[in-house]
Amino acid sequence: MAARTISATQTLEEFRTEFNALSSQDFGDIATLDSGISATSVVGAVNELYTSIAGSLAFDISDGSTTETISNAQTLTFASTANQVTATVSATDTVTFSLPSDVTITGEFTAQGTGTHTLGTITVAGNTIASSDSDTITINDNVTAAGTIQAGSTLINPNVAATNISNTTGTVRFGSNINLNASYNLIFEGSTDDAFETTVTVVDPTVDRTITIPDETGTIITTGSSSVITGSMIASDTIGEINMADDAIGQDQLKSVVTLQILNSTGTVVKTLYGAGA
Amino acid sequence: MAVRKPLYVVSGNLREMDTTMVDEIVARTVYQYSLNPSVALSVVASGGNIGSITDTRKQAGSFSTSTTAFPTEATTAEPSTVTVTYDKISSANATVSPTADTGKTWPVYYNASGQVQAMNLQDVKDTFLHPAIDLLASGSLTSSQAGTYHISTSASVAGSTEVSGSSTPIFSDTRADTSLYTAAGIPETLDQPTTVTNYYLHRIDGVSGTYTEPYFLDASNNIKEYTTAAFDSLIGEWVRYTAASSTDGYALSYTLGTTATGNTRGTGIADTILNGSGNYQQLFVNADDYRAQEFPDGTAVTANTYYLRIIKS
């Protein structure tokens, strides 16, 4: 708004118009003064304002817990904090606060926005953390989760009383060898979660061993098994004499059994031999 | 009569012996008998108990003498007969106590039901012992008669052993030696014999043949092969017992004489004698001494033929 002037060549009407504009626009309607100002003229209002300011040309600044008073003629300094916030004073009467490129938050950081939060190439959107330039997020330190960690259909549940590793498909697949460290075993709960489990363990190997489970459906036989081995499990012509217990084969086991009796000279049977027939 | 076929093992199988194999065991039985005959003959000086035989020969009659003329033939003594008795063979039976049948003593065989059964003693007799005795008691003089005896005019016979061990004849056939009687020698010694033939007692030597050991039931009723020694001993003692003490017609004995029972063993023992009526000879010594004597003469004839016989009874 420039200062209004009336040149010598201007008409009275022009003067009247400029004057009215000066009165209504530049000075303003006196009726619009703040109600706290009691003066009824501009000068009066200025004086009243001056009186008010002159009595206390100071104001307080406070962070909620600490209050500082800025008195007349004092300088309000906006100090920057390295890696936290930068204050920049510029014309006109402007203070600009900005964050440096590298920001250090010494306390907790809360981003309440519900949109996407970005840390470099890492974005956090709601409950989702993602990388904008990779399909892999690397965590270089230990990860502790209070709740279940889910990777696709695979669940890792830290609850000691729960199923710690599971898969929503019902099958947990391992893409590598499973190596149970020393003194650890495979333990099967069975169909009932109770105090009884079946443990698969090994005698401490002294050299590398391999136990092969054959490509077939069946039940593993152990030394504790009884009355379970069937003839079809035994390869033909493989049972040797050493595998036969003494006094183990009876006549009922012989095919087309034939009998040879041995008699003494009086005709008394002293021994009966049983043999397989032709 | 139950001749069995003992079992033996071939290629791990029990098989019946064929008749050849059984015969080999019978031959082995004979051989075992020959090693120690239970009916043993010996040559003794006299008193033999299987019979007496006599050797007869002629001797000159006593000479006659006269001071006037030669005694006539009619008045001159005829040659007489000298008889010598030979009883130089004695028989002795051994007392044998053979192993009793335990029911599993003897070889096994397949009975009619196809069962394996141990032979009883009667089976053993029928199969081994009696056939062996039959061989021993035959009139042949082969090794199948080993351990039995025969007579030979030779002191040495291949395959046999002279029993006395000193070539002592059990009989000597003598005759008067007519060449020794001469008229000039009247009065001649009456008995001037010459031995024509000596007879010797021999025992046939055994020949060990091979045989297949049969099988028997051991104490655990297992079928087991006899060891050769065990079966030889068993069959040997039983054949010896049978020969000496059989009560069922298979005991062996010997006789010496002319009886016809049994099979002759070896050469007949001939007692030969000159059959002449006397060779009347005279000798003029001087006018007061006329002598005459009849010497044996004639052709040798057999007065008797004796035999050593083996009897199975």
Side-chain angles (χ1 to χ4, degrees), chain A residues 260-265 270-271, chain B residues 101 103 115-116 118 220-222:
Chain A
L260 174 61
Q261 290 184 316
I262 298 176
L263 291 68
N264 65 15
S265 64
V270 295
K271 180 175 284 188
Chain B
D101 181 15
Q115 300 160 329
V116 174
S220 301
N221 299 321
N222 295 318

Side-chain angles (χ1 to χ4, degrees), chain A residues 79-157:
Chain A
S80 296
T81 301
N83 297 327
Q84 290 185 340
V85 67
T86 299
T88 304
V89 178
S90 62
T92 304
D93 300 334
T94 300
V95 178
T96 302
F97 293 96
S98 63
L99 296 174
S101 297
D102 297 324
V103 177
T104 298
I105 299 173
T106 58
E108 290 74 17
F109 171 77
T110 301
Q112 292 184 332
T114 57
T116 298
H117 304 275
T118 302
L119 293 175
T121 60
I122 299 299
T123 62
V124 178
N127 295 327
T128 302
I129 301 173
S131 171
S132 61
D133 63 352
S134 172
D135 58 2
T136 300
I137 295 175
T138 301
I139 299 174
N140 283 335
D141 292 313
N142 299 331
V143 175
T144 300
T148 300
I149 297 174
Q150 179 167 0
S153 60
T154 300
L155 305 176
I156 300 176
N157 190 332

Side-chain angles (χ1 to χ4, degrees), chain B residues 44-240:
Chain B
V44 296
S46 62
N49 59 8
I50 66 168
S52 298
I53 54 178
T54 56
D55 174 48
T56 59
R57 60 177 179 268
K58 293 293 187 181
Q59 66 177 355
S62 299
F63 81 100
S64 296
T65 183
S66 172
T67 58
T68 58
F70 288 108
T72 64
E73 192 277 343
T75 60
T76 303
E78 296 295 323
S80 63
T81 300
V82 176
T83 300
V84 178
T85 298
Y86 288 88
D87 51 0
K88 304 182 75 170
I89 301 177
S90 190
S91 176
N93 283 12
T95 300
V96 181
S97 299
T99 301
D101 181 15
T102 64
K104 296 178 287 187
T105 300
W106 295 106
V108 293
Y109 67 102
Y110 285 133
N111 65 19
S113 301
Q115 300 160 329
V116 174
Q117 183 168 356
M119 297 167 70
N120 59 28
L121 180 58
Q122 188 59 50
D123 295 331
V124 174
K125 288 179 178 178
D126 294 341
T127 306
F128 303 132
L129 299 177
H130 292 171
I133 294 294
D134 285 340
L135 287 173
L136 290 171
S138 80
S140 300
L141 301 178
T142 69
S143 60
S144 293
Q145 289 73 46
T148 62
Y149 299 86
H150 67 98
I151 300 297
S152 173
T153 57
S154 173
S156 177
V157 176
S160 293
T161 299
E162 196 277 319
V163 174
S164 76
S166 57
S167 298
T168 300
I170 54 92
F171 183 86
S172 294
D173 179 33
T174 59
R175 292 198 297 266
D177 187 351
T178 56
S179 65
L180 298 179
Y181 294 93
T182 62
I186 295 174
E188 282 284 10
T189 300
L190 302 184
D191 187 20
Q192 297 188 76
T194 181
T195 298
V196 178
T197 306
N198 284 323
Y199 294 88
Y200 302 92
L201 180 65
H202 294 267
R203 184 179 63 245
I204 300 171
D205 299 329
V207 175
S208 176
T210 60
Y211 70 103
T212 301
E213 284 82 1
Y215 279 67
F216 71 105
L217 301 182
D218 68 6
S220 301
N221 299 321
N222 295 318
I223 300 174
K224 185 176 182 180
E225 184 182 34
Y226 285 104
T227 64
T228 300
F231 190 70
D232 281 351
S233 175
L234 186 61
I235 202 70
E237 66 188 23
W238 268 99
V239 73
R240 294 185 70 237

Side-chain angles (χ1 to χ4, degrees), chain B residues 226-300:
Chain B
Y226 285 104
T227 64
T228 300
F231 190 70
D232 281 351
S233 175
L234 186 61
I235 202 70
E237 66 188 23
W238 268 99
V239 73
R240 294 185 70 237
Y241 173 81
T242 303
S245 307
S246 172
T247 58
D248 45 13
Y250 284 87
L252 295 180
S253 61
Y254 296 90
T255 63
L256 183 64
T258 57
T259 56
T261 301
N263 291 318
T264 61
R265 301 308 299 268
T267 305
I269 302 170
D271 171 26
T272 59
I273 190 169
L274 297 177
N275 62 356
S277 59
N279 177 15
Y280 173 75
Q281 295 293 320
Q282 299 171 334
L283 174 63
F284 175 78
V285 179
N286 55 49
D288 295 323
D289 189 359
Y290 296 89
R291 299 176 182 179
Q293 192 172 19
E294 291 196 32
F295 302 146
D297 67 341
T299 302

